[in-house]
Amino acid sequence: MKEIYHEISLTTICALFGRSRQGWYQLAENKGQKQLQRTLVIEQVRQIKSELPHIGGLKMHSMLQKFLSAHQISMGRDAFFCLLKENNLLVKPRRLYARTTNSFHHFKKWPDLVQRRKAIMAEEIWVSDITYLKTKKVLSILV
C-alpha cells in the first residue's frame, strides 16, 4: 500500500486497517523469512527428486522432518503439498485402464433384441457380457 500511495503516511494506512506500525514491519520481515524457508525446502525437495524421481509427497514430507526441525521451519502436510504443487514437483499419476470396447470393427454387429422392454416373468430375458482379463502374454477374452 505504501508503495502505491506515497503521499499517505504509514501511520494513517495502518490505522485504516486496524494494525500498528510494528505489525506492518513484522509482516514485511516475516514475508522475507517465509520466502527463504520455502526456497530452502524446494531446494531440498529437488535434491531428493534427483535421487528418487518417483517418490510421493507423503514419503518426502516424512523424510524432510529432520531437515525442517533443524532449520526451525514449521510446515504442515497441506502447506508442503501446496508448495510442491506450485512448483510442479508432485508425482503425476499414470492413468491405468484397458481399452475394452472397439465399436468400429468389421465383424457382424448383432441387433438389440431386448429393445429395453421389461420382463414379465422369470428367465424371459437373458443377457451376457464380455469380460477382459489382462495377462502377461496377451489380452484374453472370456465369453
Side-chain angles (χ1 to χ4, degrees):
M1 292 291 291
K2 185 64 179 159
E3 294 85 19
I4 299 170
Y5 301 105
H6 301 288
E7 64 278 354
I8 302 175
S9 70
L10 185 58
T11 307
T12 308
I13 292 173
C14 289
L16 285 172
F17 291 102
R19 301 284 179 217
S20 64
R21 287 175 59 98
Q22 180 184 7
W24 174 272
Y25 289 115
Q26 284 178 347
L27 177 67
E29 182 182 328
N30 287 341
K31 204 182 265 188
Q33 187 178 12
K34 287 284 185 190
Q35 186 59 36
L36 177 65
Q37 290 176 352
R38 291 166 61 94
T39 305
L40 276 172
V41 171
I42 290 298
E43 289 304 315
Q44 192 69 21
V45 166
R46 286 197 173 124
Q47 182 181 354
I48 293 172
K49 282 271 194 192
S50 68
E51 298 167 10
L52 303 165
H54 298 291
I55 190 168
L58 285 174
K59 177 76 173 178
M60 193 175 320
H61 186 257
S62 65
M63 287 173 63
L64 286 175
Q65 287 306 310
K66 287 182 182 178
F67 173 81
L68 294 174
S69 62
H71 289 86
Q72 297 171 347
I73 300 173
S74 62
M75 182 178 289
R77 182 198 67 214
D78 294 342
F80 183 71
F81 270 85
C82 288
L83 183 63
L84 292 181
K85 186 175 183 180
E86 289 170 7
N87 291 283
N88 295 322
L89 292 170
L90 287 175
V91 176
K92 292 173 182 67
R94 283 188 244 156
R95 294 185 64 191
L96 300 175
Y97 62 91
R99 185 167 178 231
T100 58
T101 303
N102 178 11
S103 299
F104 305 105
H105 51 74
H106 62 277
F107 300 114
K108 178 170 176 49
K109 296 177 191 166
W110 297 93
D112 181 12
L113 300 176
V114 176
Q115 298 175 351
R116 306 289 178 234
R117 69 176 184 216
K118 292 187 178 184
I120 298 172
M121 53 198 261
E123 298 189 27
E124 183 180 2
I125 299 174
W126 287 66
V127 294
S128 68
D129 190 14
I130 299 174
T131 302
Y132 295 84
L133 299 174
K134 191 170 185 176
T135 62
K136 290 183 180 180
K137 291 182 180 179
V138 291
L139 194 64
S140 299
I141 302 174
L142 300 175
V143 179

